[in-house]
Amino acid sequence: MSDDPFVAHRSLLFTVAYEMLGSAADAEDVVQETWLRWAARDERSDPDPVRDPRAYLVRIVTRQSLNRLRTLARRREDYVGEWLPEPLLTAPDVADDVELAESVSIAMLTVLETLGPTERAVFVLREVFDTPYDEIATAVERTPAAVRQIAHRAREHVAARRPRQDVDRAEQEAAVEQFLAAVRTGDLQGLLDVLAPEVVLRSDGGGVVTALPRPVTGAEKVARMLAMIVSSVPTARFAPARLNGGPAVLVDIDGEPTAVSMVVEDGRISRLYSIRNPHKLTRLDVEAELSRRG
């Protein structure tokens, strides 16, 4: 491990920023800004050394993320159609860490979008990273008592909206395989068998590619829509993947890549998040992944 605290904690800083922003590109920018501030402070040879580099760096990345989040909020008001987080390919060890996998899931990040900037920062720091209240208070410039109240409200808000999902990976993968077997052949009944009755399909094209203008709810509607897409584009390719620590499918429809993140509850798919905006898929390289996975 590097002796440089920034290098040692870079992964943590990126995760904090990503969970606050839902965008890997913006998270990387914030981490870079944090490094510049850290390097500038070090270069000044401040006579008052940083006693806790981790807390200091988290404070910087939190404040930078809050500034960026407030700017993004105005942009997202003008976003065309549904806005969904930018997906990330994740290694198996991320999925094994249940708390981390759930906190970075597309489903959770979508719920976090319904929180205000400060509430989101407090929730992420407290519930995901178990940061002490006094450190959070310094980061968000509130009193510890106020932070406790904000954390309580945010916790209740998220709990009321967060979909419950199976943490058993074998059950998740079984649902994905059943889904793929049905969608590849346009098997309507097969889709109905694997989709939960109240399944919700959301799609994000960002105004760049075709996407659903609003969520579609109900197994019958979602199954028929998926079967129709496959029948109209028989050359579509599909492959299982792990995105944001959870089950997913990568798709190529006539050269247009799509990443579909899923929530599995009781062995059936209850949420489908279809990210089609190509600007959010640059890190995935869907074509390369599809070729590699065959």
Side-chain angles (χ1 to χ4, degrees):
M1 180 176 287
S2 171
D3 292 334
D4 184 339
F6 177 83
V7 175
H9 298 300
R10 192 185 190 290
S11 178
L12 166 68
L13 301 177
F14 174 82
T15 305
V16 170
Y18 177 65
E19 292 203 29
M20 286 186 60
L21 301 170
S23 163
D26 287 306
E28 287 286 8
D29 287 346
V30 164
V31 171
Q32 180 66 15
E33 291 166 6
T34 300
W35 178 81
L36 291 172
R37 288 172 179 266
W38 170 259
R41 187 188 192 286
D42 185 55
E43 289 169 4
R44 289 197 306 266
S45 299
D46 196 317
D48 182 21
V50 176
R51 295 179 182 177
D52 187 344
R54 180 183 184 277
Y56 181 83
L57 288 165
V58 167
R59 181 163 71 247
I60 296 175
V61 85
T62 299
R63 289 178 178 173
Q64 293 300 312
S65 294
L66 281 170
N67 292 338
R68 181 65 62 97
L69 193 56
R70 290 174 180 126
T71 300
L72 291 175
R74 291 189 287 273
R75 278 192 226 158
R76 288 174 189 173
E77 289 177 359
D78 300 324
Y79 195 80
V80 178
E82 288 268 319
W83 186 94
L84 293 175
E86 178 184 348
L88 294 176
L89 279 171
T90 44
D93 59 339
V94 174
D96 291 339
D97 185 334
V98 175
E99 287 190 12
L100 180 60
E102 185 176 1
S103 72
V104 299
S105 71
I106 295 295
M108 173 59 87
L109 293 174
T110 302
V111 172
L112 293 183
E113 280 295 309
T114 64
L115 291 172
T118 301
E119 288 178 312
R120 184 166 183 167
V122 170
F123 181 88
V124 168
L125 292 176
R126 182 61 189 174
E127 298 302 310
V128 181
F129 299 103
D130 199 28
T131 305
Y133 286 112
D134 57 340
E135 288 185 19
I136 300 175
T138 302
V140 301
E141 300 179 307
R142 301 291 180 91
T143 66
V147 165
R148 286 178 182 274
Q149 292 180 340
I150 293 170
H152 177 72
R153 290 197 304 270
R155 196 179 304 118
E156 289 189 334
H157 180 96
V158 171
R161 292 161 177 79
R162 176 169 55 191
R164 183 175 58 83
Q165 50 189 326
D166 293 338
V167 296
D168 183 85
R169 181 162 178 173
E171 192 165 353
Q172 291 179 345
E173 291 179 348
V176 171
E177 288 302 322
Q178 188 178 349
F179 173 84
L180 285 173
V183 78
R184 281 172 174 147
T185 58
D187 180 359
L188 183 60
Q189 186 56 52
L191 286 169
L192 290 171
D193 290 341
V194 74
L195 297 175
E198 298 302 317
V199 62
V200 178
L201 167 62
R202 301 177 65 178
S203 181
D204 175 353
V208 181
V209 296
T210 304
L212 300 171
R214 60 188 63 83
V216 175
T217 303
E220 186 77 26
K221 290 181 180 178
V222 172
R224 290 190 180 282
M225 180 170 294
L226 293 173
M228 178 183 67
I229 292 173
V230 173
S231 64
S232 62
V233 189
T235 57
R237 295 183 295 154
F238 305 84
R242 301 293 296 184
L243 296 178
N244 295 64
V249 170
L250 300 180
V251 188
D252 180 281
I253 302 175
D254 271 352
E256 291 185 353
T258 301
V260 183
S261 177
M262 303 175 174
V263 173
V264 176
E265 298 182 54
D266 299 323
R268 305 178 87 176
I269 298 168
S270 63
R271 298 285 191 282
L272 291 162
Y273 301 94
S274 176
I275 297 105
R276 307 201 67 228
N277 184 342
H279 300 307
K280 296 184 178 183
L281 301 175
T282 54
R283 289 170 176 267
L284 296 188
D285 195 350
V286 173
E287 175 61 34
E289 287 295 324
L290 282 167
S291 298
R292 185 174 68 82
R293 295 165 192 265

mmCIF file of all heavy atoms in Angstrom, residues 191-229:
data_model
loop_
_atom_site.group_PDB
_atom_site.id
_atom_site.type_symbol
_atom_site.label_atom_id
_atom_site.label_comp_id
_atom_site.label_asym_id
_atom_site.label_seq_id
_atom_site.Cartn_x
_atom_site.Cartn_y
_atom_site.Cartn_z
ATOM 1 N N LEU A 191 -40.993 -15.440 -20.291
ATOM 2 C CA LEU A 191 -40.774 -14.127 -19.678
ATOM 3 C C LEU A 191 -41.757 -13.902 -18.537
ATOM 4 O O LEU A 191 -41.390 -13.402 -17.468
ATOM 5 C CB LEU A 191 -40.921 -13.026 -20.731
ATOM 6 C CG LEU A 191 -39.764 -12.903 -21.732
ATOM 7 C CD1 LEU A 191 -40.137 -11.972 -22.878
ATOM 8 C CD2 LEU A 191 -38.506 -12.386 -21.026
ATOM 9 N N LEU A 192 -43.011 -14.280 -18.763
ATOM 10 C CA LEU A 192 -44.019 -14.113 -17.715
ATOM 11 C C LEU A 192 -43.672 -14.934 -16.475
ATOM 12 O O LEU A 192 -43.957 -14.525 -15.347
ATOM 13 C CB LEU A 192 -45.398 -14.519 -18.237
ATOM 14 C CG LEU A 192 -46.025 -13.578 -19.272
ATOM 15 C CD1 LEU A 192 -47.282 -14.197 -19.876
ATOM 16 C CD2 LEU A 192 -46.353 -12.219 -18.634
ATOM 17 N N ASP A 193 -43.033 -16.070 -16.687
ATOM 18 C CA ASP A 193 -42.668 -16.937 -15.563
ATOM 19 C C ASP A 193 -41.550 -16.341 -14.713
ATOM 20 O O ASP A 193 -41.489 -16.579 -13.497
ATOM 21 C CB ASP A 193 -42.221 -18.318 -16.077
ATOM 22 C CG ASP A 193 -43.379 -19.128 -16.645
ATOM 23 O OD1 ASP A 193 -44.534 -18.801 -16.320
ATOM 24 O OD2 ASP A 193 -43.110 -20.064 -17.427
ATOM 25 N N VAL A 194 -40.644 -15.566 -15.333
ATOM 26 C CA VAL A 194 -39.490 -15.053 -14.592
ATOM 27 C C VAL A 194 -39.694 -13.612 -14.099
ATOM 28 O O VAL A 194 -38.977 -13.139 -13.216
ATOM 29 C CB VAL A 194 -38.213 -15.134 -15.444
ATOM 30 C CG1 VAL A 194 -38.194 -14.069 -16.537
ATOM 31 C CG2 VAL A 194 -36.969 -15.038 -14.567
ATOM 32 N N LEU A 195 -40.672 -12.908 -14.659
ATOM 33 C CA LEU A 195 -40.941 -11.537 -14.239
ATOM 34 C C LEU A 195 -41.941 -11.520 -13.087
ATOM 35 O O LEU A 195 -42.930 -12.247 -13.104
ATOM 36 C CB LEU A 195 -41.495 -10.711 -15.401
ATOM 37 C CG LEU A 195 -40.578 -10.508 -16.611
ATOM 38 C CD1 LEU A 195 -41.324 -9.773 -17.723
ATOM 39 C CD2 LEU A 195 -39.318 -9.735 -16.215
ATOM 40 N N ALA A 196 -41.684 -10.690 -12.086
ATOM 41 C CA ALA A 196 -42.627 -10.530 -10.982
ATOM 42 C C ALA A 196 -43.890 -9.855 -11.515
ATOM 43 O O ALA A 196 -43.819 -9.068 -12.465
ATOM 44 C CB ALA A 196 -41.996 -9.699 -9.877
ATOM 45 N N PRO A 197 -45.054 -10.140 -10.930
ATOM 46 C CA PRO A 197 -46.311 -9.558 -11.434
ATOM 47 C C PRO A 197 -46.279 -8.036 -11.564
ATOM 48 O O PRO A 197 -46.812 -7.484 -12.514
ATOM 49 C CB PRO A 197 -47.344 -10.004 -10.385
ATOM 50 C CG PRO A 197 -46.768 -11.269 -9.828
ATOM 51 C CD PRO A 197 -45.285 -11.056 -9.811
ATOM 52 N N GLU A 198 -45.646 -7.363 -10.596
ATOM 53 C CA GLU A 198 -45.603 -5.892 -10.621
ATOM 54 C C GLU A 198 -44.238 -5.367 -11.073
ATOM 55 O O GLU A 198 -43.804 -4.300 -10.637
ATOM 56 C CB GLU A 198 -45.938 -5.342 -9.228
ATOM 57 C CG GLU A 198 -47.331 -5.694 -8.741
ATOM 58 C CD GLU A 198 -48.407 -5.203 -9.705
ATOM 59 O OE1 GLU A 198 -48.293 -4.057 -10.188
ATOM 60 O OE2 GLU A 198 -49.348 -5.961 -9.975
ATOM 61 N N VAL A 199 -43.570 -6.096 -11.940
ATOM 62 C CA VAL A 199 -42.253 -5.680 -12.426
ATOM 63 C C VAL A 199 -42.328 -4.290 -13.052
ATOM 64 O O VAL A 199 -43.342 -3.916 -13.658
ATOM 65 C CB VAL A 199 -41.709 -6.699 -13.459
ATOM 66 C CG1 VAL A 199 -42.618 -6.773 -14.683
ATOM 67 C CG2 VAL A 199 -40.286 -6.349 -13.864
ATOM 68 N N VAL A 200 -41.260 -3.517 -12.873
ATOM 69 C CA VAL A 200 -41.187 -2.168 -13.452
ATOM 70 C C VAL A 200 -39.962 -2.087 -14.359
ATOM 71 O O VAL A 200 -38.860 -2.459 -13.960
ATOM 72 C CB VAL A 200 -41.081 -1.087 -12.355
ATOM 73 C CG1 VAL A 200 -40.962 0.296 -12.992
ATOM 74 C CG2 VAL A 200 -42.279 -1.143 -11.423
ATOM 75 N N LEU A 201 -40.172 -1.612 -15.584
ATOM 76 C CA LEU A 201 -39.091 -1.406 -16.548
ATOM 77 C C LEU A 201 -38.896 0.088 -16.754
ATOM 78 O O LEU A 201 -39.834 0.805 -17.100
ATOM 79 C CB LEU A 201 -39.432 -2.077 -17.886
ATOM 80 C CG LEU A 201 -38.561 -1.716 -19.097
ATOM 81 C CD1 LEU A 201 -37.110 -2.127 -18.862
ATOM 82 C CD2 LEU A 201 -39.105 -2.373 -20.371
ATOM 83 N N ARG A 202 -37.673 0.558 -16.496
ATOM 84 C CA ARG A 202 -37.339 1.960 -16.724
ATOM 85 C C ARG A 202 -36.209 2.024 -17.741
ATOM 86 O O ARG A 202 -35.347 1.146 -17.770
ATOM 87 C CB ARG A 202 -36.925 2.637 -15.408
ATOM 88 C CG ARG A 202 -38.006 2.591 -14.351
ATOM 89 C CD ARG A 202 -37.544 3.203 -13.039
ATOM 90 N NE ARG A 202 -37.277 4.629 -13.173
ATOM 91 C CZ ARG A 202 -36.902 5.398 -12.148
ATOM 92 N NH1 ARG A 202 -36.725 4.858 -10.950
ATOM 93 N NH2 ARG A 202 -36.699 6.685 -12.329
ATOM 94 N N SER A 203 -36.207 3.078 -18.559
ATOM 95 C CA SER A 203 -35.234 3.164 -19.651
ATOM 96 C C SER A 203 -34.678 4.578 -19.763
ATOM 97 O O SER A 203 -35.405 5.558 -19.597
ATOM 98 C CB SER A 203 -35.916 2.758 -20.961
ATOM 99 O OG SER A 203 -35.027 2.803 -22.040
ATOM 100 N N ASP A 204 -33.375 4.668 -20.036
ATOM 101 C CA ASP A 204 -32.682 5.956 -20.133
ATOM 102 C C ASP A 204 -31.933 6.019 -21.460
ATOM 103 O O ASP A 204 -30.961 5.300 -21.677
ATOM 104 C CB ASP A 204 -31.707 6.084 -18.954
ATOM 105 C CG ASP A 204 -30.848 7.343 -19.024
ATOM 106 O OD1 ASP A 204 -30.895 8.057 -20.042
ATOM 107 O OD2 ASP A 204 -30.122 7.605 -18.050
ATOM 108 N N GLY A 205 -32.413 6.885 -22.367
ATOM 109 C CA GLY A 205 -31.732 7.099 -23.639
ATOM 110 C C GLY A 205 -31.108 8.468 -23.726
ATOM 111 O O GLY A 205 -30.358 8.769 -24.657
ATOM 112 N N GLY A 206 -31.433 9.324 -22.761
ATOM 113 C CA GLY A 206 -30.845 10.661 -22.708
ATOM 114 C C GLY A 206 -31.151 11.548 -23.900
ATOM 115 O O GLY A 206 -30.476 12.550 -24.121
ATOM 116 N N GLY A 207 -32.167 11.180 -24.683
ATOM 117 C CA GLY A 207 -32.476 11.958 -25.875
ATOM 118 C C GLY A 207 -31.532 11.676 -27.028
ATOM 119 O O GLY A 207 -31.652 12.277 -28.097
ATOM 120 N N VAL A 208 -30.594 10.731 -26.817
ATOM 121 C CA VAL A 208 -29.613 10.393 -27.849
ATOM 122 C C VAL A 208 -30.075 9.200 -28.671
ATOM 123 O O VAL A 208 -29.901 9.163 -29.888
ATOM 124 C CB VAL A 208 -28.236 10.089 -27.208
ATOM 125 C CG1 VAL A 208 -27.196 9.768 -28.279
ATOM 126 C CG2 VAL A 208 -27.781 11.245 -26.343
ATOM 127 N N VAL A 209 -30.637 8.197 -27.987
ATOM 128 C CA VAL A 209 -31.185 7.017 -28.664
ATOM 129 C C VAL A 209 -32.611 6.790 -28.163
ATOM 130 O O VAL A 209 -33.034 7.362 -27.153
ATOM 131 C CB VAL A 209 -30.331 5.756 -28.380
ATOM 132 C CG1 VAL A 209 -28.934 5.916 -28.940
ATOM 133 C CG2 VAL A 209 -30.280 5.460 -26.881
ATOM 134 N N THR A 210 -33.343 5.943 -28.866
ATOM 135 C CA THR A 210 -34.730 5.661 -28.495
ATOM 136 C C THR A 210 -34.806 4.984 -27.133
ATOM 137 O O THR A 210 -34.037 4.076 -26.835
ATOM 138 C CB THR A 210 -35.383 4.748 -29.543
ATOM 139 O OG1 THR A 210 -35.272 5.365 -30.828
ATOM 140 C CG2 THR A 210 -36.854 4.523 -29.214
ATOM 141 N N ALA A 211 -35.724 5.438 -26.315
ATOM 142 C CA ALA A 211 -35.934 4.842 -24.994
ATOM 143 C C ALA A 211 -37.378 5.085 -24.581
ATOM 144 O O ALA A 211 -38.075 5.929 -25.149
ATOM 145 C CB ALA A 211 -34.981 5.447 -23.970
ATOM 146 N N LEU A 212 -37.823 4.338 -23.596
ATOM 147 C CA LEU A 212 -39.181 4.514 -23.095
ATOM 148 C C LEU A 212 -39.310 5.883 -22.432
ATOM 149 O O LEU A 212 -38.458 6.260 -21.629
ATOM 150 C CB LEU A 212 -39.518 3.429 -22.071
ATOM 151 C CG LEU A 212 -39.449 1.980 -22.575
ATOM 152 C CD1 LEU A 212 -39.577 1.014 -21.407
ATOM 153 C CD2 LEU A 212 -40.553 1.730 -23.591
ATOM 154 N N PRO A 213 -40.367 6.625 -22.743
ATOM 155 C CA PRO A 213 -40.512 7.963 -22.148
ATOM 156 C C PRO A 213 -40.886 7.921 -20.673
ATOM 157 O O PRO A 213 -40.657 8.877 -19.936
ATOM 158 C CB PRO A 213 -41.626 8.596 -22.992
ATOM 159 C CG PRO A 213 -42.428 7.431 -23.472
ATOM 160 C CD PRO A 213 -41.443 6.326 -23.705
ATOM 161 N N ARG A 214 -41.448 6.808 -20.237
ATOM 162 C CA ARG A 214 -41.859 6.670 -18.838
ATOM 163 C C ARG A 214 -41.816 5.195 -18.445
ATOM 164 O O ARG A 214 -41.775 4.318 -19.322
ATOM 165 C CB ARG A 214 -43.262 7.239 -18.634
ATOM 166 C CG ARG A 214 -44.340 6.575 -19.468
ATOM 167 C CD ARG A 214 -45.662 7.304 -19.357
ATOM 168 N NE ARG A 214 -45.561 8.651 -19.884
ATOM 169 C CZ ARG A 214 -45.672 8.946 -21.172
ATOM 170 N NH1 ARG A 214 -45.878 7.981 -22.075
ATOM 171 N NH2 ARG A 214 -45.559 10.179 -21.594
ATOM 172 N N PRO A 215 -41.815 4.880 -17.153
ATOM 173 C CA PRO A 215 -41.745 3.480 -16.715
ATOM 174 C C PRO A 215 -42.931 2.652 -17.206
ATOM 175 O O PRO A 215 -44.038 3.169 -17.384
ATOM 176 C CB PRO A 215 -41.759 3.597 -15.184
ATOM 177 C CG PRO A 215 -41.254 4.971 -14.903
ATOM 178 C CD PRO A 215 -41.783 5.825 -16.017
ATOM 179 N N VAL A 216 -42.664 1.375 -17.462
ATOM 180 C CA VAL A 216 -43.713 0.422 -17.839
ATOM 181 C C VAL A 216 -43.858 -0.561 -16.674
ATOM 182 O O VAL A 216 -42.869 -1.113 -16.194
ATOM 183 C CB VAL A 216 -43.337 -0.337 -19.127
ATOM 184 C CG1 VAL A 216 -44.393 -1.408 -19.443
ATOM 185 C CG2 VAL A 216 -43.218 0.635 -20.290
ATOM 186 N N THR A 217 -45.086 -0.771 -16.219
ATOM 187 C CA THR A 217 -45.335 -1.607 -15.046
ATOM 188 C C THR A 217 -46.232 -2.790 -15.388
ATOM 189 O O THR A 217 -47.187 -2.651 -16.158
ATOM 190 C CB THR A 217 -45.997 -0.779 -13.927
ATOM 191 O OG1 THR A 217 -45.159 0.333 -13.601
ATOM 192 C CG2 THR A 217 -46.211 -1.628 -12.674
ATOM 193 N N GLY A 218 -45.899 -3.944 -14.823
ATOM 194 C CA GLY A 218 -46.725 -5.143 -15.007
ATOM 195 C C GLY A 218 -46.052 -6.161 -15.905
ATOM 196 O O GLY A 218 -45.516 -5.821 -16.964
ATOM 197 N N ALA A 219 -46.082 -7.428 -15.478
ATOM 198 C CA ALA A 219 -45.392 -8.486 -16.215
ATOM 199 C C ALA A 219 -45.901 -8.630 -17.644
ATOM 200 O O ALA A 219 -45.120 -8.826 -18.581
ATOM 201 C CB ALA A 219 -45.555 -9.814 -15.464
ATOM 202 N N GLU A 220 -47.196 -8.541 -17.831
ATOM 203 C CA GLU A 220 -47.779 -8.708 -19.168
ATOM 204 C C GLU A 220 -47.256 -7.652 -20.134
ATOM 205 O O GLU A 220 -46.803 -7.967 -21.243
ATOM 206 C CB GLU A 220 -49.300 -8.628 -19.082
ATOM 207 C CG GLU A 220 -50.021 -8.921 -20.396
ATOM 208 C CD GLU A 220 -50.088 -10.399 -20.731
ATOM 209 O OE1 GLU A 220 -50.042 -11.226 -19.788
ATOM 210 O OE2 GLU A 220 -50.183 -10.728 -21.932
ATOM 211 N N LYS A 221 -47.286 -6.384 -19.713
ATOM 212 C CA LYS A 221 -46.830 -5.292 -20.578
ATOM 213 C C LYS A 221 -45.337 -5.390 -20.862
ATOM 214 O O LYS A 221 -44.889 -5.230 -22.004
ATOM 215 C CB LYS A 221 -47.155 -3.940 -19.940
ATOM 216 C CG LYS A 221 -48.634 -3.591 -19.910
ATOM 217 C CD LYS A 221 -48.837 -2.223 -19.285
ATOM 218 C CE LYS A 221 -50.312 -1.836 -19.239
ATOM 219 N NZ LYS A 221 -50.516 -0.513 -18.593
ATOM 220 N N VAL A 222 -44.550 -5.648 -19.815
ATOM 221 C CA VAL A 222 -43.093 -5.707 -19.982
ATOM 222 C C VAL A 222 -42.708 -6.901 -20.859
ATOM 223 O O VAL A 222 -41.870 -6.785 -21.758
ATOM 224 C CB VAL A 222 -42.397 -5.798 -18.604
ATOM 225 C CG1 VAL A 222 -40.896 -6.061 -18.784
ATOM 226 C CG2 VAL A 222 -42.623 -4.508 -17.818
ATOM 227 N N ALA A 223 -43.330 -8.055 -20.622
ATOM 228 C CA ALA A 223 -43.008 -9.257 -21.402
ATOM 229 C C ALA A 223 -43.332 -9.058 -22.874
ATOM 230 O O ALA A 223 -42.534 -9.414 -23.758
ATOM 231 C CB ALA A 223 -43.765 -10.453 -20.845
ATOM 232 N N ARG A 224 -44.475 -8.501 -23.162
ATOM 233 C CA ARG A 224 -44.860 -8.289 -24.558
ATOM 234 C C ARG A 224 -43.927 -7.283 -25.239
ATOM 235 O O ARG A 224 -43.583 -7.440 -26.418
ATOM 236 C CB ARG A 224 -46.315 -7.814 -24.649
ATOM 237 C CG ARG A 224 -47.323 -8.893 -24.298
ATOM 238 C CD ARG A 224 -48.749 -8.490 -24.629
ATOM 239 N NE ARG A 224 -49.684 -9.557 -24.276
ATOM 240 C CZ ARG A 224 -49.884 -10.657 -25.002
ATOM 241 N NH1 ARG A 224 -49.207 -10.804 -26.151
ATOM 242 N NH2 ARG A 224 -50.733 -11.576 -24.618
ATOM 243 N N MET A 225 -43.517 -6.264 -24.507
ATOM 244 C CA MET A 225 -42.611 -5.275 -25.087
ATOM 245 C C MET A 225 -41.260 -5.907 -25.414
ATOM 246 O O MET A 225 -40.696 -5.695 -26.495
ATOM 247 C CB MET A 225 -42.421 -4.112 -24.106
ATOM 248 C CG MET A 225 -41.494 -3.031 -24.619
ATOM 249 S SD MET A 225 -41.531 -1.577 -23.578
ATOM 250 C CE MET A 225 -43.212 -1.020 -23.851
ATOM 251 N N LEU A 226 -40.735 -6.714 -24.484
ATOM 252 C CA LEU A 226 -39.452 -7.370 -24.715
ATOM 253 C C LEU A 226 -39.534 -8.366 -25.873
ATOM 254 O O LEU A 226 -38.640 -8.433 -26.718
ATOM 255 C CB LEU A 226 -38.999 -8.085 -23.441
ATOM 256 C CG LEU A 226 -38.642 -7.183 -22.262
ATOM 257 C CD1 LEU A 226 -38.381 -8.015 -21.014
ATOM 258 C CD2 LEU A 226 -37.421 -6.324 -22.580
ATOM 259 N N ALA A 227 -40.618 -9.131 -25.925
ATOM 260 C CA ALA A 227 -40.799 -10.102 -27.003
ATOM 261 C C ALA A 227 -40.904 -9.401 -28.355
ATOM 262 O O ALA A 227 -40.374 -9.880 -29.364
ATOM 263 C CB ALA A 227 -42.040 -10.943 -26.739
ATOM 264 N N MET A 228 -41.552 -8.243 -28.363
ATOM 265 C CA MET A 228 -41.718 -7.483 -29.609
ATOM 266 C C MET A 228 -40.364 -6.967 -30.108
ATOM 267 O O MET A 228 -40.063 -7.020 -31.303
ATOM 268 C CB MET A 228 -42.663 -6.304 -29.377
ATOM 269 C CG MET A 228 -42.874 -5.425 -30.609
ATOM 270 S SD MET A 228 -43.924 -3.996 -30.248
ATOM 271 C CE MET A 228 -42.846 -3.080 -29.147
ATOM 272 N N ILE A 229 -39.522 -6.490 -29.172
ATOM 273 C CA ILE A 229 -38.202 -5.976 -29.553
ATOM 274 C C ILE A 229 -37.368 -7.083 -30.187
ATOM 275 O O ILE A 229 -36.725 -6.891 -31.224
ATOM 276 C CB ILE A 229 -37.476 -5.395 -28.314
ATOM 277 C CG1 ILE A 229 -38.192 -4.131 -27.837
ATOM 278 C CG2 ILE A 229 -36.013 -5.098 -28.646
ATOM 279 C CD1 ILE A 229 -37.663 -3.588 -26.530
#
